[in-house]
Amino acid sequence: MDPSLLNRSWTHEQGFQLSTNPNQIPLSDLNDFFSDMPWANPLPEAALRNLIRQSLCFALYDVHNADHKLVGIARWISDFVSVAYLTDVYLLPAYRSQGLGKWMMSCIDETFHSMEHLRGMILIVDRGGGEEILYRKYLGMDDLQSPAILLDRKGRGSAR
Ligand SMILES: CC(C)(COP(=O)(O)OP(=O)(O)OC[C@H]1O[C@@H](n2cnc3c(N)ncnc32)[C@H](O)[C@@H]1OP(=O)(O)O)[C@@H](O)C(=O)NCCC(=O)NCCS
């Protein structure tokens, strides 16, 4: 893996920082996010640590105050070379609809472009919602090309 992938950061002029450093992520705050995501469940600490270690997390911090609170996340599951699955895109409600989601997508897009052997990226989203627009318009995602389909199977940890 390119180690620089886990050490990137972007500064937003309105007092936010996006970082891929997994060591910065506060586990309990991330678990609060999972409690609020309809598709996820909170996890025991050891499982959370494993999840972070094996993902590329784009963690968004509010840096207006010294505590640098975690306010959002976008998590990639990947081999960091050839394929990537984007999941767990989330902002705390107070931080939504201010353009931060679009900004996170632009940083992800930049990272995606920097990976020369990456074949592609997939994600799953409800059809017809605002999030579908976000991914299509700001991350360049598109429908699977016909006749391909996406199959899935729920696991024991699925929330829905
Ligand atoms: C999805 C999410 C990260 C988007 O971040 P955001 O900061 O609210 O979005 P932004 O303000 O940056 O911009 C949203 C853009 O995408 C569209 N969009 C995204 N989510 C939307 C929503 N829920 N309702 C309406 N439009 C939405 C808008 O059209 C807008 O584009 P435009 O300015 O060209 O009209 C955030 O709303 C969120 O955390 N939602 C709850 C969790 C969730 O649903 N995650 C995605 C699961 S697939």
Side-chain angles (χ1 to χ4, degrees):
M1 187 217 307
D2 173 359
S4 79
L5 278 176
L6 298 180
N7 195 23
R8 296 196 181 180
S9 72
W10 296 260
T11 302
H12 189 286
E13 58 194 11
Q14 277 153 24
F16 297 93
Q17 191 191 34
L18 190 69
S19 165
T20 60
N21 181 345
N23 304 318
Q24 264 181 275
I25 299 173
L27 299 186
S28 64
D29 290 357
L30 181 60
N31 236 3
D32 289 344
F33 292 0
F34 284 156
S35 306
D36 196 37
M37 294 171 184
W39 61 89
N41 287 313
L43 294 169
E45 188 174 321
L48 263 187
R49 285 190 195 285
N50 272 339
L51 174 150
I52 290 173
R53 192 160 42 83
Q54 295 179 85
S55 304
L56 176 60
C57 296
F58 290 74
L60 183 71
Y61 300 91
D62 180 341
V63 295
H64 288 94
N65 301 313
D67 64 350
H68 290 194
K69 179 179 161 195
L70 181 74
V71 298
I73 194 101
R75 185 167 75 90
W76 279 27
I77 303 161
S78 178
D79 59 7
F80 303 102
V81 175
S82 65
V83 286
Y85 165 45
L86 181 65
T87 185
D88 295 343
V89 177
Y90 178 89
L91 285 173
L92 284 177
Y95 293 85
R96 292 177 193 166
S97 305
Q98 303 168 30
L100 288 168
K102 291 190 275 192
W103 183 65
M104 287 168 76
M105 293 306 127
S106 72
C107 301
I108 290 171
D109 186 57
E110 184 186 313
T111 306
F112 185 89
H113 278 294
S114 76
M115 297 170 71
E116 63 175 317
H117 303 297
L118 198 66
R119 288 184 223 136
M121 180 166 74
I122 58 166
L123 59 79
I124 297 170
V125 62
D126 289 340
R127 189 173 286 281
E131 298 80 14
E132 181 187 346
I133 299 171
L134 177 73
Y135 299 132
R136 284 184 185 277
K137 202 165 157 188
Y138 297 101
L139 198 55
M141 302 300 292
D142 205 349
D143 293 304
L144 281 178
Q145 282 177 25
S146 181
I149 56 167
L150 184 63
L151 303 180
D152 84 341
R153 174 181 157 171
K154 303 293 178 219
R156 285 169 53 199
S158 174
R160 64 177 185 186

